[in-house]
Every structure is written in structure tokens, then in C-alpha cells.
Amino acid sequence: MRHRVGHRKLGRITPHRMALLRNLATALFERERIRTTLMKAKELRPYAERLITLARREDDRLHARRLAARELQDRTVMKKLFDDLGARFAARPGGYTRILRLGPRRGDGAEMAIVELLGSEYKPEKKGDEKGKKGGAPGKAAAGKGAAGKGGAAKGAGPKTSSKKKAEKAEPEP
């Protein structure tokens, strides 16, 4: 029975586990969406939400900043947490993150998940919405480069010559 067992150990000793959670929280606040294992995501959620709650404080901002600075070492992430994320979640009474399950990871079969902050959901562009694009019809954006695309010659265009051969062709022999 797991009565009163507080957290998952994640196969790490305490200082390593705390460093892992700090790094995951820093990445989550920086990118607003990260991909990790399900167990790490479940451990990260209360840790990150506690830091967001500190950022929401109105009464003692300096003390809250110092408490959060113990956990987050990156100044830019601290600034974003207190200026942007604290204001975004000011009216929300908890539940700032969402965990989306992805399925097993290839290789070891570990259950994977995406942890994201609410309000940073993936919004794909609709196919009918062409107002924001500079060009005309879809698929014509690469027309300026020809059929070759970014990589150079198109498939089946012939054998590629190495840079040594090009250098030899460029220099005339004496």
C-alpha cells in the first residue's frame, strides 16, 4: 500500500530529482510546451503550478520573486513568469497546466506526454485561410526555386559531383 507516499522518485537521488524538476519547469515556462515521459510530467505539474501561484501574488511580490528564484536560475524565465504568465493566470484559481498523453516511446516503450500551459495550445492554420500568406495558391511558394526545393537538384536530376571535382574543374591545368 502506498499510504502517505508523497511523490515519485523517478529512479534518481533527491538532488538529481530536484535538478530535473527545475530544468523541466524552466523549459516549460520558456517554451510553454514540452515533451517528456508521463511520470515526469505528473511530477512536474504540481511543481510548476506552485511556481505560477507564486507569480500570481499581489501582496508580497519581492518575497514571491525570491522564493521562485530559489527554484529557477534563468533570469529571462523569471521575468516571463512574473510579468507574462502571472498576469495571464491572475483570474484562474489553479489548474494552469495540461498533460496530453502521446503513447509509448519507440525504443524503450516509456509512456510519453506533452505538458503545456493553458493558453498556449497548438492552433494549426486552416486550409481555406489564405489571407495571411504573401503568395497566391498553396504549393506555389517553392516555384521561385524551381522543382529542386531547398536541397539543390531535384531527385533523378543526375549524379552529384563532389566539391573536389568542382574545384579541379574550376582551376585550369598548367
Side-chain angles (χ1 to χ4, degrees):
M1 288 184 270
R2 290 182 43 90
H3 296 302
R4 296 185 53 85
V5 176
H7 54 82
R8 295 165 187 87
K9 293 191 177 181
L10 300 174
R12 291 159 172 82
I13 60 174
T14 304
H16 188 185
R17 185 172 54 249
M18 295 311 296
L20 171 77
L21 289 175
R22 283 184 185 124
N23 291 335
L24 285 172
T26 301
L28 176 64
F29 296 144
E30 186 178 355
R31 298 181 182 95
E32 298 192 9
R33 179 178 209 169
I34 59 170
R35 183 172 182 254
T36 184
T37 63
L38 182 62
M39 292 302 115
K40 287 178 190 172
K42 287 182 175 183
E43 260 323 281
L44 174 64
R45 172 185 253 171
Y47 186 85
E49 290 192 0
R50 202 168 300 126
L51 290 173
I52 294 173
T53 303
L54 279 175
R56 287 181 52 214
R57 271 196 196 169
E58 290 296 324
D59 54 342
D60 199 0
R61 296 277 291 180
L62 179 61
H63 183 58
R65 267 179 129 41
R66 287 178 176 168
L67 287 174
R70 288 179 181 175
E71 306 300 327
L72 301 176
Q73 308 299 320
D74 192 351
R75 285 179 183 253
T76 58
V77 172
M78 280 285 295
K79 183 168 174 48
K80 180 177 181 180
L81 176 64
F82 277 83
D83 295 346
D84 301 339
L85 300 178
R88 185 199 303 179
F89 297 121
R92 188 176 183 87
Y96 315 114
T97 59
R98 173 185 295 129
I99 297 176
L100 302 169
R101 293 173 183 238
L102 293 177
R105 176 166 57 194
R106 227 177 129 187
D108 63 353
E111 194 72 24
M112 296 301 287
I114 289 178
V115 184
E116 66 181 9
L117 296 175
L118 296 182
S120 64
E121 292 85 10
Y122 175 67
K123 296 174 186 167
E125 291 185 24
K126 294 180 182 175
K127 291 182 181 179
D129 185 27
E130 296 294 326
K131 294 177 185 175
K133 296 200 176 186
K134 292 180 182 178
K140 303 244 178 180
K145 295 181 184 177
K150 186 177 181 181
K155 287 185 181 177
K160 290 186 176 181
T161 58
S162 70
S163 59
K164 285 184 180 179
K165 289 181 182 177
K166 286 181 184 177
E168 288 173 3
K169 288 180 182 177
E171 291 181 27
E173 293 182 12

